[in-house]
Amino acid sequence: MQNRTLGNNGPLVSALGLGCMGMSDFYGTRDDAESIATIHHALDRGLTLLDTADVYGPHTNEELVGKAIRGRRRNAFVATKFGIVRDPADPAKRGANGRPEYVRASCDASLKRLGIDTIDLYYQHRVDKDVPIEETVGAMAELVAAGKVRYLGLSEAGAATVDRACKVHPIAALQSEFSLWTRDPQGNGMLDACRRNGVALVAYSPLGRGFLTGAIRSPDDFDADDYRRNSPRFQGENFARNLALVEQVQALAADKGCSPAQLALAWVLAQGEDVIAIPGTKKRSRLDENLGALDVRLDAAELAAIDAVFPPDAVAGARYAGAMMQMVNA
Ligand SMILES: NC(=O)c1ccc[n+]([C@@H]2O[C@H](COP(=O)([O-])OP(=O)(O)OC[C@H]3O[C@@H](n4cnc5c(N)ncnc54)[C@H](OP(=O)(O)O)[C@@H]3O)[C@@H](O)[C@H]2O)c1
């Protein structure tokens, strides 16, 4: 397995992690048996970084990951998150909570659901604009001192927030959406902030929530309750325009002799040795396909060819709908 360092002087983790969210939430039907088999297969293949969050389910994804790592704890590097609050009365609504007492209570609850004594990487999932980042990270630092957490992370924090957070405690990782169709970290100063502070960038949704693989041909491919049905990039004219871009990716992948998913992941990994990608799948066969991206090397001419057919601002539609968009890059 190829490993990368999680931030300056941080631990080594697999260059490709496994995003576990879709196993329990957002992306259609659950199959817990196959999901657990996929996590086991990942660990057997030397993938260490498992990504979950308390809000996935909510709670059921941490429970699933906890069940899967029982007896295999030593092989797993467990990353989870706190700070997005769901409203039971309105499942589409989201809030952020970064208050110190909430940080402490969330950590204890995650440890219990995961069935572990220490979380390897604990992220604030979204910045709470009503609580100074220093207060939230201060509370997270106390969790490190107490031995409940090993490394700290932020998710979708803007450059200025990263700078401020790193003055309170080292931040090992910033998790942000980053892929061929979401280049935000390169355009908004986020990646620069990571580099000046020695923070790794963990790219979430590196397959464009599945779209960049070419497997999604129509919005009707989704189950009725699939989250993507309500996502701007997967709707109407946007869908058609984005599909035309993906067809170009498919052609380049065919030339390269790899799958479109592998090309999309290889592109993310080529953006720097400090970038780690966490593609999500609940199927062993797709995990194997995705790990094959580690053998795909893109040279400068190939990266330029990808940029030519899929320029940074080519995507149609916002990556989140409405209020959710206000919560990113904060
Ligand atoms: N910090 C945040 O705010 C945030 C937000 C979103 C996600 N995340 C994390 O990032 C992880 C990854 O992101 P993601 O799951 O949203 O998106 P993704 O990794 O871009 O794509 C996942 C989707 O692609 C499909 N897929 C995976 N490999 C495939 C292949 N080789 N061929 C065809 N389809 C394939 C999966 O379906 P199958 O499962 O059916 O294979 C799933 O529907 C999540 O699991 C989560 O842990 C974090």
Side-chain angles (χ1 to χ4, degrees):
M1 177 55 60
Q2 291 169 34
N3 293 312
R4 291 190 172 187
T5 310
L6 196 71
N8 273 4
N9 310 315
L12 284 177
V13 296
S14 50
L16 285 179
L18 177 61
C20 298
M21 177 186 83
M23 296 174 177
S24 309
D25 210 354
F26 301 113
Y27 299 158
T29 320
R30 286 176 62 161
D31 179 348
D32 285 1
E34 178 60 17
S35 292
I36 288 175
T38 302
I39 294 174
H40 288 172
H41 187 54
L43 297 175
D44 289 345
R45 289 208 50 187
L47 180 156
T48 56
L49 177 60
L50 302 177
D51 191 81
T52 180
D54 59 3
V55 75
Y56 302 157
H59 304 154
T60 50
N61 194 235
E62 285 188 329
E63 287 162 1
L64 180 93
V65 171
K67 198 170 165 190
I69 61 171
R70 217 160 289 154
R72 297 166 182 257
R73 174 70 182 101
R74 273 188 305 124
N75 300 331
F77 189 94
V78 180
T80 191
K81 319 182 193 79
F82 73 91
I84 294 184
V85 184
R86 273 164 113 161
D87 180 352
D90 180 357
K93 204 169 154 195
R94 301 282 187 281
N97 191 338
R99 291 197 306 276
E101 62 275 18
Y102 183 79
V103 176
R104 289 189 283 273
S106 300
C107 179
D108 287 342
S110 287
L111 284 167
K112 200 166 168 198
R113 283 189 291 270
L114 288 160
I116 58 180
D117 298 325
T118 310
I119 294 165
D120 295 308
L121 174 59
Y122 201 36
Y123 291 101
Q124 181 186 24
H125 209 157
R126 288 290 182 276
V127 174
D128 181 345
K129 290 171 183 159
D130 296 329
V131 179
I133 192 68
E134 289 80 2
E135 275 183 36
T136 304
V137 174
M140 294 167 75
E142 286 171 16
L143 298 174
V144 178
K148 294 181 179 184
V149 167
R150 291 175 66 206
Y151 297 96
L152 301 186
L154 302 173
S155 176
E156 292 288 3
T161 304
V162 173
D163 286 338
R164 284 170 57 190
C166 288
K167 291 196 174 80
V168 179
H169 190 277
I171 299 295
L174 174 68
Q175 186 172 134
S176 182
E177 183 167 350
F178 186 37
S179 68
L180 269 176
W181 80 351
T182 300
R183 311 280 191 98
D184 300 33
Q186 288 173 323
N188 64 13
M190 225 182 227
L191 192 53
D192 290 338
C194 283
R195 289 182 172 155
R196 71 175 164 265
N197 289 290
V199 177
L201 183 74
V202 173
Y204 80 72
S205 302
L207 297 169
R209 300 184 186 269
F211 197 77
L212 298 169
T213 70
I216 300 165
R217 309 303 301 175
S218 147
D220 296 331
D221 290 346
F222 298 132
D223 289 351
D225 62 348
D226 193 301
Y227 158 88
R228 291 168 289 194
R229 280 186 182 269
N230 299 313
S231 181
R233 290 184 179 177
F234 292 89
Q235 290 173 340
E237 178 61 22
N238 288 343
F239 190 103
R241 282 172 54 191
N242 292 330
L243 191 57
L245 293 168
V246 167
E247 280 164 0
Q248 308 250 41
V249 173
Q250 287 179 292
L252 288 178
D255 289 347
K256 181 75 180 164
C258 67
S259 73
Q262 290 169 341
L263 191 83
L265 294 174
W267 181 88
V268 173
L269 294 177
Q271 302 311 305
E273 280 297 309
D274 50 357
V275 179
I276 291 154
I278 50 166
T281 181
K282 44 190 163 189
K283 300 183 182 75
R284 281 168 286 182
S285 57
R286 283 181 169 171
L287 174 78
D288 282 330
E289 178 187 338
N290 296 345
L291 286 177
L294 294 169
D295 299 320
V296 178
R297 295 265 178 274
L298 299 170
D299 62 25
E302 290 166 329
L303 289 167
I306 293 172
D307 257 357
V309 302
F310 208 136
D313 55 357
V315 68
R319 62 190 176 101
Y320 281 107
M324 282 285 286
M325 195 63 205
Q326 305 304 316
M327 293 174 74
V328 298
N329 304 337

